């Protein structure tokens, strides 16, 4: 897999029927190792190991319904009150991050009302908070540490 613009972590990877699988510590199971999953697993570990987000507050592929369509967030982090705090949209490294990527996560956030949004392809990362009053993104240098 491609080297990403994130710290490196030790992952459990195994081969099964000509596919590689990676262990997801949130879902507690092996999942197919796609380029997008590679990015997701790095970001999960980044949130836990670098930003100290508790594993118990992180959900992966959480379902939500928008306009009668079932969608899934790549990563959703809750606050201690059980409310959405951070949404992460992961793309494969070869996928360019475009306005469509931001539109997708913004649609999810209309439903979830999270404080922070992250869009990443593992090489480029965009961190922002929503200025609800002015209905715009406020781009940040990074996402806050869990204790903040």
């Amino acid at each position: 897999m491609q080297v990403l613009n994130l710290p490196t972590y030790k992952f459990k990877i195994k081969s099964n029927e000509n596919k590689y699988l990676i262990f997801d510590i949130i879902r507690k199971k092996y999942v197919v190792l796609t380029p997008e999953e590679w990015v997701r697993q790095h970001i999960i570990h980044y949130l836990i190991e670098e930003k100290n987000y508790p594993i118990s507050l992180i959900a992966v592929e959480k379902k939500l319904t928008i306009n009668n369509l079932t969608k899934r967030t790549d990563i959703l982090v809750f606050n201690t009150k059980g409310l959405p705090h951070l949404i992460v949209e992961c793309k494969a490294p070869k996928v360019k991050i475009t306005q469509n990527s931001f539109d997708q996560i913004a649609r999810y956030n209309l439903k979830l009302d999270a404080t922070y949004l992250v869009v990443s392809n593992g090489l480029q990362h965009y961190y922002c908070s929503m200025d609800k009053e002015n209905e715009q993104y406020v781009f940040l240098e990074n996402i806050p540490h869990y204790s903040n």
Side-chain angles (χ1 to χ4, degrees):
M1 280 285 153
Q2 183 171 351
V3 174
L4 302 178
N5 185 14
L6 286 160
T8 54
Y9 302 102
K10 290 187 178 183
F11 296 108
K12 293 180 186 175
I13 297 174
K14 68 180 186 179
S15 177
N16 186 12
E17 297 178 12
N18 297 327
K19 290 183 188 174
Y20 284 101
L21 305 172
I22 188 167
F23 189 77
D24 182 327
I25 61 173
I26 305 299
R27 293 178 276 185
K28 296 180 174 58
K29 66 178 184 178
Y30 281 91
V31 295
V32 175
L33 180 54
T34 63
E36 182 179 323
E37 191 64 45
W38 184 240
V39 172
R40 179 176 17 230
Q41 292 304 315
H42 275 78
I43 291 177
I44 287 169
H45 284 261
Y46 178 78
L47 291 171
I48 294 165
E49 296 180 33
E50 313 302 327
K51 296 297 182 174
N52 287 345
Y53 282 86
I55 290 176
S56 61
L57 298 180
I58 301 173
V60 173
E61 293 197 338
K62 184 85 172 152
K63 282 186 189 178
L64 68 145
T65 304
I66 300 172
N67 298 329
N68 295 321
L69 297 173
T70 299
K71 303 290 185 181
R72 294 179 190 275
T73 59
D74 285 322
I75 302 169
L76 178 58
V77 181
F78 295 92
N79 64 22
T80 54
K81 295 177 182 171
L83 299 172
H85 175 69
L86 170 74
I87 305 169
V88 182
E89 178 60 31
C90 301
K91 302 293 183 190
K94 289 183 180 176
V95 176
K96 285 192 175 208
I97 295 175
T98 64
Q99 184 62 47
N100 288 342
S101 307
F102 289 101
D103 292 347
Q104 178 183 2
I105 200 168
R107 278 192 302 276
Y108 293 174
N109 203 38
L110 286 173
K111 182 87 171 188
L112 297 170
D113 197 28
T115 307
Y116 298 100
L117 308 177
V118 176
V119 179
S120 176
N121 64 4
L123 304 174
Q124 293 180 296
H125 321 287
Y126 295 93
Y127 311 101
C128 57
S129 61
M130 291 299 295
D131 176 351
K132 294 171 188 169
E133 192 174 305
N134 296 309
E135 297 181 351
Q136 64 184 15
Y137 305 110
V138 176
F139 285 89
L140 308 169
E141 290 279 324
N142 206 324
I143 55 171
H145 195 273
Y146 173 71
S147 62
N148 296 339

